[in-house]
Amino acid sequence: MHMHPIRSAKMAVVGCGLMGSALARAFASAGHDVAVWNRTPGKASAVGGGTRAFDSLVEAVSGRELVVVSLSNYAAAAEVLSERGVAAALTGTTLVQLTSGSPADAREGLAWAQAHGVDYLDAAILAYPSFVATEYATVYYAGARGIFDRHVETLQAIAKNSVYVDEKIGAAATLDCAILEAYYGGSLAFLHAAAMCKAEGLDPKALFAQKNSFLGLISVTADAAQDMIEKNGFSGDQCSLNTHVAAIEHIVRLSQDARISARFPKELLDNYKRAVSAGLGDQELPAVFRTLTQD
Ligand code: NAP
C-alpha cells in the first residue's frame, strides 16, 4: 500500500546493509525524500525505490532534518560520524540511532550528539528486514520526548508501532536486550528440545505441534512473575522450585543418555538449583529472579 504522508521529510539513511536498505525503501515509499549512503557504495545505489545514493556522507546528510543510522555496531557508527565534516553537517538535525547496542553505547551516542549540537534519539528495531513497514515491526525509542514527537509521524513509515519508552537514553537498548534475551533463550530452548525429540526417535513435529502449550506456559508464568516481582513475594501453591529442579534433572539425563549436548539443560539446572541453595526451594518458579539480581 502506498502511504501519503502529510509532509514529506528530507532525510537520510546511513548504512545500507540488510536493515538499512529496507528502512530506506520504506521511508521512500511513504513519500519521503531519502538520501542514502553506504561505506561500500554499490549497496547504496542498489537500494532503489526512489532513494538517492550519495558517495559522500557529508553531502548525503547535509540539509537533512532527520538522519537514521543503521550500521553493524556503535563502533562502526562512531567511526563514520567522526569522518571529517560529518559532525558539522549534522548540527541542527535529528539523528536517530537505529544500530543495535547496549545502554552504555546509547549514553555515549547522546554525549557525542550533545557535544555537536545534534538532537538525538536512541532506537532499537524489533523486526527482520522483511517485517519493516508491516504490522510485525516494532521500534522502541528513547530520548527527549519533544524530539520523538517532532518526528514520530515520519518514523512511523518503518513501523506504525513506534513506541516511546523513556527519556533515559539507554531505555530502548535496555528493552531491546531484554526482549532479545527472552527470544534467543526461548529459541535455544525449543531447538534443544527438538534435538532431544530427534535423538529419542520422536519426530520434532510432535514438539512443534505443541507450540501453543509451551508458549502458553511461558505466557502464564510471565504474568505470575510480573506480579510476584512487583510484590517481592514468591510463595504460592502451584509447584515448588524443588519439584521444578527434579523435572530439569530429567532433561539433563535424557540429553546425556541420548548423547546430545547437555549444556543448556545443565545451565538451567545450575540456575534453578542456586535458588534452592539460597533457601527458596519451597517457593514458586519466579523466585529464581531473587538470585539473578546479584552477580
Ligand atoms: P548488515 O547487513 O551486516 O549491514 C551492516 C552495515 O554496516 C553495512 O552497511 C556495512 O557497510 C556497515 N558497516 C559495518 N562496519 C562499518 C564501518 N566500520 N564503517 C562503515 N560502515 C560499516 O547488518 P544489518 O542486518 O543491516 O544490521 C544493521 C543493524 O540493524 C545492526 O545493528 C543490527 O543489530 C540491527 N538489526 C538487524 C536486524 C536484522 O534482522 N537484520 C534486526 C534488528 C536489528 P558495508 O556494506 O560497507 O560493509
Side-chain angles (χ1 to χ4, degrees), residues 211-222:
K211 182 179 78 174
N212 292 333
S213 303
F214 63 76
L215 292 181
L217 268 176
I218 292 171
S219 176
V220 167
T221 306

Side-chain angles (χ1 to χ4, degrees), residues 172-221:
T174 302
L175 190 56
D176 188 46
C177 286
I179 293 170
L180 287 180
E181 184 186 28
Y183 173 60
Y184 290 124
S187 297
L188 184 60
F190 73 65
L191 291 170
H192 184 271
M196 285 200 300
C197 292
K198 189 158 189 281
E200 279 292 331
L202 177 67
D203 191 328
K205 269 191 204 154
L207 166 70
F208 293 114
Q210 297 305 313
K211 182 179 78 174
N212 292 333
S213 303
F214 63 76
L215 292 181
L217 268 176
I218 292 171
S219 176
V220 167
T221 306

Side-chain angles (χ1 to χ4, degrees), residues 14-23 37-44 69-80 83 97-101 124-130 132 138 176 180 184:
V14 174
C16 303
L18 296 172
M19 183 54 81
S21 300
L23 299 175
W37 176 89
N38 195 66
R39 176 179 62 180
T40 310
K43 282 193 205 166
V69 179
S70 175
L71 297 168
S72 298
N73 49 50
Y74 277 66
E79 203 180 306
V80 160
E83 274 175 35
Q97 184 54 275
L98 252 161
T99 299
S100 303
I125 182 160
L126 195 66
Y128 286 110
S130 63
V132 169
T138 300
D176 188 46
L180 287 180
Y184 290 124

